[in-house]
């Protein structure tokens, strides 16, 4: 990213930064496919690790197993995110199963590297220094890195099943179940999740008994990829107007001695009882409460940070000024525009599993039109009582079936839809 008068940061395909971006995969799937190919074909180290930065031109020597910078070692959240993005690209149609099978050994090597580096004894908990997008090393049991790992295990399991590697699918499923139970048992304290740092390691930049605004980011990804709940639904499930904020601010907790960099440390802001908005909490809240609750949820979960006064003071939501806390990163550079795309699908109640090449209307609302970006085009889908209609505005839509969620009514589309074809309307067939 580059902002002329203040410089740049996180160049090119920095893996941990792109974990927050979802719009490009829907609108420019070829771009995201090329990034996955760069990661596995060029950037991956002999150990299976995935450095979070690429050297250009491509013929230059890559980081390999050496230091990377910001953070120094390959970012763990970036590695987990790469697994999730591979599954996302497969679901969206940007890549196919042949693509996955051709790189299956590299995907397995990446998963094995994470497991043997941070949980070699298969305890279910990640330990040791865990480099992350804050350009620091977290450590100990925490749900920020823990839910990333749980989501990656679930995505890898689904990939294994699709490629026919049932032995690894079973192993990853077993590890997921142990890890989910262990993380919930270790970190759920007094009504919300906390960090349990490793003893003997510095506590600077750790939030300990506080909450991080995106500490359940793995669940954000799991909602996006239909991977289910990563932790018990009773502790990470459907929030109420009063409880949805438990992923955004702390219960009474001491102020950390060294705030987490870049995103104005949700930890220290929260310790003063001030809610901190995050891309993750808004997506999870809309998904779990339902589309009708999105406005209310933005007020309760995001609070002051999304208010007009917050924007005028340089808050990171929609700010055009530089934050006095983090002038470059928060004020002008990391803005939730690309992450905000994930709010489109739950709000319109349509999921798009490309592997099935259908559209599922989750709530069965009739007589409405919803936007439908596709891997090769975009248009609108309208579902009525006894018919469905697709209009392609650009490119080509490859929808084969629309399924209404409340009664299972099916509307089949035998051919691809293009702008020249005009509106394509069909009756129900099931």
């Amino acid at each position: 990213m580059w902002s002329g008068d203040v410089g740049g940061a996180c160049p090119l395909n920095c893996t941990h930064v792109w974990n927050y971006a979802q719009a490009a995969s829907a609108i420019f799937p070829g771009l995201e496919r090329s990034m996955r190919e760069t990661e596995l074909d060029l950037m991956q180290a002999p150990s299976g690790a995935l450095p979070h930065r690429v050297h250009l031109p491509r013929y230059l020597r890559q980081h390999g197993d050496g230091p990377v910078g910001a953070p120094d070692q390959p970012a763990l959240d970036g590695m987990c995110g790469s697994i999730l993005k591979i599954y996302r690209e497969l679901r969206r149609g940007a890549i196919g199963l042949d693509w996955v099978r051709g790189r299956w050994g590299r995907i397995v090597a990446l998963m094995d590297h994470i497991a043997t580096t941070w949980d070699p004894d298969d305890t279910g908990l990640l330990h040791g220094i865990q480099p992350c997008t804050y350009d620091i090393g977290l450590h100990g049991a925490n749900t920020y890195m823990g839910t990333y790992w749980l989501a990656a295990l679930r995505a890898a399991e689904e990939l294994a099943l699709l490629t026919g590697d049932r032995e690894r699918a079973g192993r990853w499923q077993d590890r997921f179940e142990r890890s989910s139970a262990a993380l919930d048992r270790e970190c759920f304290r007094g009504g919300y999740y906390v960090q349990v740092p490793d003893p003997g390691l510095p506590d600077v930049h750790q939030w300990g008994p506080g909450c991080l605004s995106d500490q359940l980011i793995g669940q954000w990804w799991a909602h996006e990829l239909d991977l289910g709940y990563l932790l018990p639904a009773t502790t990470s499930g459907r929030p109420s107007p009063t409880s949805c904020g438990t992923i955004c601010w702390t219960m009474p907790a001491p102020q950390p001695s060294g705030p987490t960099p870049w995103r104005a440390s949700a930890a220290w802001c929260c310790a003063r009882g001030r809610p901190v908005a995050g891309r993750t909490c808004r997506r999870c809240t809309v998904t779990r409460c339902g589309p009708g609750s999105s406005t209310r949820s933005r007020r309760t979960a995001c609070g002051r940070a999304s208010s007009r006064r917050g924007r005028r003071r340089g808050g990171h939501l929609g700010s055009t000024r530089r934050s006095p806390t983090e002038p470059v990163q928060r004020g002008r550079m990391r803005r939730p525009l690309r992450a905000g795309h994930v709010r489109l699908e739950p709000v319109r109640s349509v999921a798009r599993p490309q592997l099935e090449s259908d559209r599922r209307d989750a709530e069965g609302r009739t007589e409405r039109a919803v936007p439908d970006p596709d891997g090769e085009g975009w248009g609108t889908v309208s579902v009525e009582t006894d018919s469905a209609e697709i209009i392609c505005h650009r490119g080509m839509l490859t929808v084969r079936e629309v399924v209404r969620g409340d009664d299972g009514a099916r509307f089949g589309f035998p051919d691809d839809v293009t702008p020249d074809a005009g509106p394509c309307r069909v009756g129900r067939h099931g």
Side-chain angles (χ1 to χ4, degrees), residues 367-385:
E367 300 178 0
R368 66 189 178 98
V370 295
D372 184 38
D374 193 285
E376 298 182 12
W378 66 275
T380 56
V381 178
S382 302
V383 181
E384 301 180 0
T385 304

Side-chain angles (χ1 to χ4, degrees), residues 14-30:
C14 188
T15 59
H16 55 77
V17 174
W18 279 87
N19 279 351
Y20 294 91
Q22 299 286 354
S25 66
I27 302 173
F28 305 109

Side-chain angles (χ1 to χ4, degrees), residues 243-263:
S243 67
C244 66
T246 56
I247 65 171
C248 304
W249 63 77
T250 68
M251 306 306 180
Q255 179 174 328
S257 58
T260 303
W262 298 134
R263 292 202 195 99

Side-chain angles (χ1 to χ4, degrees), residues 91 226 345-346 348-365 368 370 372 381 383 399 401-406 408-411:
R91 284 168 50 90
D226 296 324
E345 293 184 13
R348 67 188 178 133
S349 304
V350 176
R352 303 179 297 102
Q354 289 290 86
L355 292 172
E356 301 175 16
S357 193
D358 68 6
R359 299 293 184 273
R360 297 186 181 275
D361 184 337
E363 296 189 1
R365 300 176 185 176
R368 66 189 178 98
V370 295
D372 184 38
V381 178
V383 181
V399 181
E401 192 171 61
V402 172
V403 183
R404 191 161 59 211
D406 57 351
R410 295 176 176 272
F411 306 88

Side-chain angles (χ1 to χ4, degrees), residues 18 21-32 35 88 338 341:
W18 279 87
Q22 299 286 354
S25 66
I27 302 173
F28 305 109
L31 172 65
E32 291 283 350
M35 293 171 71
R88 179 190 65 188
R338 287 174 294 177
H341 183 272

Side-chain angles (χ1 to χ4, degrees), residues 38-248:
T38 298
E39 290 167 358
L40 294 182
D41 299 349
L42 182 66
M43 295 165 55
Q44 191 170 22
S47 66
L50 183 61
H52 48 274
R53 303 187 192 279
V54 64
H55 276 158
L56 289 180
R58 291 171 60 94
Y59 58 75
L60 294 177
R61 182 178 179 180
Q62 299 299 313
H63 294 285
D65 287 309
V68 185
D72 189 51
Q73 297 300 316
L76 175 55
D77 49 353
M79 287 188 271
C80 292
S82 292
I83 298 294
L84 295 168
K85 284 174 272 192
I86 290 170
Y87 185 51
R88 179 190 65 188
E89 265 60 278
L90 181 64
R91 284 168 50 90
R92 288 191 177 276
I95 61 175
L97 282 175
D98 288 342
W99 189 102
V100 177
R101 292 189 183 101
R103 295 167 174 83
W104 186 239
R106 299 172 189 176
I107 296 171
V108 170
L110 177 54
M111 290 294 293
D112 288 348
H113 172 79
I114 297 173
T116 57
T117 301
W118 286 281
D119 187 18
D121 298 326
D122 197 7
T123 65
L125 296 174
L126 305 177
H127 288 287
I129 298 297
Q130 301 158 34
C132 71
T133 192
Y134 301 109
D135 298 348
I136 60 170
L138 303 176
H139 56 77
N142 66 87
T143 53
Y144 174 78
M145 220 50 106
T147 55
Y148 257 132
W149 176 229
L150 291 176
L153 284 168
R154 281 288 295 113
E157 177 192 346
E158 295 295 330
L159 289 169
L161 290 172
L162 290 168
T163 57
D165 194 340
R166 296 191 174 275
E167 188 270 334
R168 281 198 174 85
R171 281 166 41 192
W172 286 330
Q173 180 186 35
D174 291 343
R175 184 180 279 269
F176 167 81
E177 292 173 353
R178 289 192 302 274
S179 299
S180 175
L183 188 62
D184 184 69
R185 182 173 57 250
E186 185 76 3
C187 294
F188 194 70
R189 308 281 180 88
Y192 64 104
Y193 286 102
V194 302
Q195 178 194 21
V196 183
D198 287 333
L201 292 177
D203 63 358
V204 64
H205 297 152
Q206 313 302 308
W207 62 89
C211 280
L212 189 70
S213 63
D214 47 359
Q215 68 171 0
L216 294 182
I217 187 171
Q219 188 60 62
W220 180 69
W221 268 98
H223 283 323
E224 183 70 6
L225 301 181
D226 296 324
L227 298 175
Y229 280 104
L230 307 177
L231 295 164
T234 54
T235 53
S236 65
R238 182 187 180 97
S240 69
T242 55
S243 67
C244 66
T246 56
I247 65 171
C248 304

Side-chain angles (χ1 to χ4, degrees), residues 216 219 223 229 233 235-239 243-244 246-247 280-291 293 297 346:
L216 294 182
Q219 188 60 62
H223 283 323
Y229 280 104
T235 53
S236 65
R238 182 187 180 97
S243 67
C244 66
T246 56
I247 65 171
T280 57
C281 70
R282 298 208 319 207
R283 157 64 175 168
C284 289
T285 301
V286 171
T287 302
R288 289 171 295 179
C289 289
S293 67
S297 299

